Amino acid sequence: MASSSSSSSPSPSPSSSSMENPRSKPNPPSSSPKPPPHLSTPPRVQSFSPYSRTIYSDRFIPSRIGSNFALFDLAPTPAPPSSSATSTSDSGREDFGSGSYSALLRSVMFSPGTPDAASQQRVLSSSGSSSSSPSSSSPFATPSRNIFRYKAEIPRATRRSLFEEDSFQTVSPSNSKGPRKVPRSPFKVLDAPALQDDFYLNLVDWSSQNVLAVGLGNCVYLWNACSSKVTKLCDLGAEDSVCSVGWAQRGNFLAVGTNLGKVQIWDASRCKRMRTMESHQLRVGAIAWSSSLLSSGSRDKSILHHDMRTQDDYISKLTGHKSEVCGLKWSYDNRELASGGNDNRLFVWNQHSTQPVLKYCEHTAAVKAIAWSPHLHGLLASGGGTADRCIRFWNTTTNTHLSCMDTGSQVCNLVWSKNVNELVSTHGYSQNQIIVWRYPTMSKLATLTGHTYRVLYLAISPDGQTIVTGAGDETLRFWNVFPCPKSQITDNLNNIGGTSYVRSYIR
């Protein structure tokens, strides 16, 4: 029977056609009677080319025959026949839906805000435009068409994973956790007439009792952040002017440095002057407290320690700077004092030394911006002036230079956040900006603008969430830049007002 089957006519039998294409309609029944099953001839099995149909096996191999590559712009979409107006309108609606979904899918997969996405989209668009060439008739003719291949043109270091949280920001922003958002505008502005535009002065400080002290001309004003009440603390007269102010760490005592080289101690609660020390020969532009010890830096190149418990004007004199001392900061444990001068030097002193124990000479401009980290013992940050423009980090425990960041503009002030490992810097020439940094990566969280002059003055609120900046444009601006402490479960009301924009006068 096998030989008879091989010599039979090449036309397939009805049963053979039904077996190869089960969905085809069966032939109408013949009028002649069917032979018995044991006498019937088995159907002939035709031989087909292996490329004429899909061959399945026991292994799961994905088949892309039914894939819609036009959805990814990987293959040209055949133009629909435009025989009637109805077919044209349906095709337009279908193309519009496919294009919108394709754009949305690309934005999710390749993050349209990044350069890699733009390059990938150019690759896809170029692949689609070149699909009319004979060599690109197949969707996989060129390697750039296969977006799911393992070896991509995008560098591995910058390639995003399809399932990263931030890759879905354009679709569902509420489900992703991006960087912390910092308001870009101040919520309060105080006019501060006669606020001097002098890089070497320190005219703003915020007390632990939530009172802001500001030196305006020859007067010192106090602004209560809880009640917004303004009080005139003192008037130095026409012959003198305020060069620096500094609150004691605890209590209501305020130190005032003057242009004539005097240091005055005032009781802010009673608006009464407690004592005056006349030990400096020139103006006192920097003041720093350490418990009952007050340190003052002057244009006469010296640093004096004043003990409030003794009657002497000063108990020790520190020498080492070759020019005006414009920056002074005690560490949080009150063991080290950092000083910066117009001689481009940064010095570190201990409690008993009269000569600097550490000397740093890497800055190439005046060092006014100094800040100790509240999170890591011995971590010190310093900023240089116009010719330097750098923020440098030091480990005073091991006497090492850790890192350097070029900010592109004059560094006027630095302050660390008490709540998170971040710091803020204010700048002068030439951008007059305020930058919030994340340490140690030194990535920018926010850049705040609004001042039209150099941002020379900076202070932080007692809760560590708000900063106030002052500039030669005679304004004080309040910014919410840092989060609340992690231990704080519920958000407390801000004592210095709401988030609405408020402008008022400090005197």
Side-chain angles (χ1 to χ4, degrees), residues 140-363:
F140 301 99
T142 59
S144 61
R145 294 179 180 272
N146 187 2
I147 64 173
F148 296 108
R149 59 194 176 87
Y150 293 100
K151 185 178 180 181
E153 290 86 356
I154 305 173
R156 182 178 299 273
T158 59
R159 187 169 63 241
R160 290 175 176 264
S161 173
L162 181 62
F163 300 101
E164 287 179 356
E165 291 181 354
D166 56 351
S167 64
F168 293 94
Q169 288 182 359
T170 56
V171 179
S172 56
S174 59
N175 295 333
S176 60
K177 294 182 180 180
R180 177 173 55 85
K181 294 184 178 180
V182 178
R184 294 303 196 269
S185 59
F187 64 87
K188 183 184 289 291
V189 175
L190 296 178
D191 284 332
L195 185 62
Q196 297 188 55
D197 184 25
D198 194 328
F199 176 79
Y200 301 98
L201 305 185
N202 294 274
L203 298 176
V204 178
D205 197 20
W206 206 327
S207 77
S208 60
Q209 303 298 322
N210 213 9
V211 178
L212 189 69
V214 184
L216 301 177
N218 54 5
C219 300
V220 176
Y221 290 87
L222 305 179
W223 181 76
N224 191 307
C226 299
S227 61
S228 297
K229 179 182 178 181
V230 178
T231 305
K232 184 178 180 179
L233 178 65
C234 65
D235 189 338
L236 302 181
E239 298 180 355
D240 206 352
S241 61
V242 181
C243 293
S244 58
V245 295
W247 287 101
Q249 295 174 351
R250 299 177 182 175
N252 295 317
F253 293 105
L254 178 70
V256 179
T258 74
N259 189 55
L260 297 179
K262 299 178 181 179
V263 178
Q264 298 181 356
I265 308 299
W266 287 79
D267 186 350
S269 61
R270 297 183 294 169
C271 292
K272 180 180 178 180
R273 186 177 61 186
M274 306 300 297
R275 62 184 298 183
T276 301
M277 294 162 286
E278 303 180 7
S279 304
H280 287 289
Q281 305 300 318
L282 298 173
R283 71 179 185 184
V284 180
I287 285 177
W289 285 88
S290 172
S291 186
S292 60
L293 185 68
L294 173 65
S295 302
S296 59
S298 171
R299 180 177 273 184
D300 62 13
K301 311 173 187 177
S302 66
I303 301 172
L304 299 180
H305 288 329
H306 313 272
D307 194 339
M308 299 298 102
R309 300 168 296 183
T310 65
Q311 297 298 323
D312 299 331
D313 280 356
Y314 65 94
I315 59 174
S316 62
K317 182 177 181 178
L318 313 183
T319 58
H321 285 285
K322 303 302 181 182
S323 186
E324 179 175 9
V325 179
C326 52
L328 275 182
K329 284 292 170 58
W330 279 97
S331 62
Y332 281 88
D333 58 4
N334 295 326
R335 294 182 178 181
E336 294 178 303
L337 174 67
S339 65
N342 197 27
D343 54 1
N344 309 344
R345 300 293 187 263
L346 174 67
F347 293 159
V348 178
W349 321 71
N350 60 30
Q351 294 173 311
H352 309 290
S353 64
T354 57
Q355 295 293 321
V357 294
L358 297 176
K359 296 181 181 181
Y360 301 116
C361 307
E362 280 76 3
H363 285 290

Side-chain angles (χ1 to χ4, degrees), residues 9 29 74 88 138 174 306 440 471 506:
S9 174
L74 299 179
T88 303
S138 172
S174 59
H306 313 272
I506 199 171

